[in-house]
Amino acid sequence: MDHENKDLDLASLVDKVVREHGATPDSVIPILSEINRTLGYIPAGTLPEIRRRIQIPQEGVFLADSHVYSAASFYQMFSLKPLGRHVIRFCESAPCHVEGGRQVIEALQKELGLQPGETSQDQKWSLLTTSCLGVCSVGPVFLVDDDIFGNVTPERVPEILARYE
């Protein structure tokens, strides 16, 4: 797809999502969430498009591009760059660390050949870390896409990843 068509498609997507969620400042997070879910990430070009469509004064103040960017970059479940087909989100909270999380992340890094924040060259895997997944009682924990794996040991990592081959 050429650059102009890609921009047109992104603008159409933003139009559709803004119509569905409303053109209000309160709708920024649902809009970003829908775009992230649809594309797997939030392309930088969509941020000013979102802001332009939500140019509704709120107490005389207009949203700035930086407000939309801040929202998109703050939430760990959003990505501003393309990710792999399978996204691993590893919990690096203290409870998971105490239960052996360091050894599990090392096993993931070795198995995937990735450091946290990286995507494989074949675009199959992205390895991300997150502060907490909310299931501390079964740590160490990580997500693969929407599937959660708890009480993970380094020995289980290859078996879990093989499910996504």
Side-chain angles (χ1 to χ4, degrees):
M1 172 184 324
D2 65 34
H3 183 66
E4 188 174 308
N5 286 338
K6 182 180 176 189
D7 288 344
L8 181 60
D9 291 343
L10 289 178
S12 297
L13 174 62
V14 170
D15 278 339
K16 174 184 170 287
V17 173
V18 169
R19 277 194 312 275
E20 289 173 5
H21 294 282
T24 67
D26 291 342
S27 299
V28 170
I29 299 302
I31 290 166
L32 292 170
S33 182
E34 181 79 17
I35 291 170
N36 193 77
R37 187 172 35 259
T38 301
L39 299 176
Y41 75 110
I42 302 168
T46 62
L47 300 176
E49 291 293 324
I50 292 167
R51 196 255 321 136
R52 275 194 285 279
R53 284 162 177 77
I54 301 182
Q55 268 310 342
I56 297 172
Q58 185 178 25
E59 298 172 16
V61 177
F62 288 97
L63 283 178
D65 285 347
S66 62
H67 291 115
V68 179
Y69 176 81
S70 293
S73 61
F74 175 77
Y75 293 98
Q76 292 183 352
M77 296 307 276
F78 294 159
S79 178
L80 294 173
K81 63 182 183 177
L83 297 175
R85 288 188 312 277
H86 300 293
V87 178
I88 298 170
R89 295 181 192 278
F90 179 81
C91 179
E92 60 180 3
S93 69
C96 284
H97 180 78
V98 168
E99 293 298 323
R102 189 187 57 161
Q103 292 83 5
V104 173
I105 189 74
E106 288 172 355
L108 281 166
Q109 290 172 300
K110 181 180 177 190
E111 193 73 22
L112 298 170
L114 298 174
Q115 294 297 309
E118 293 181 342
T119 296
S120 61
Q121 287 186 344
D122 64 2
Q123 300 296 304
K124 182 173 182 180
W125 299 102
S126 289
L127 178 60
L128 306 176
T129 58
T130 187
S131 59
C132 185
L133 293 171
V135 287
C136 301
S137 63
V138 293
V141 174
F142 64 83
L143 285 172
V144 179
D145 304 329
D146 293 326
D147 304 326
I148 193 158
F149 297 92
N151 296 316
V152 180
T153 62
E155 295 76 26
R156 287 189 56 215
V157 167
E159 166 231 323
I160 292 170
L161 297 181
R163 297 177 189 190
Y164 299 90
E165 291 300 325

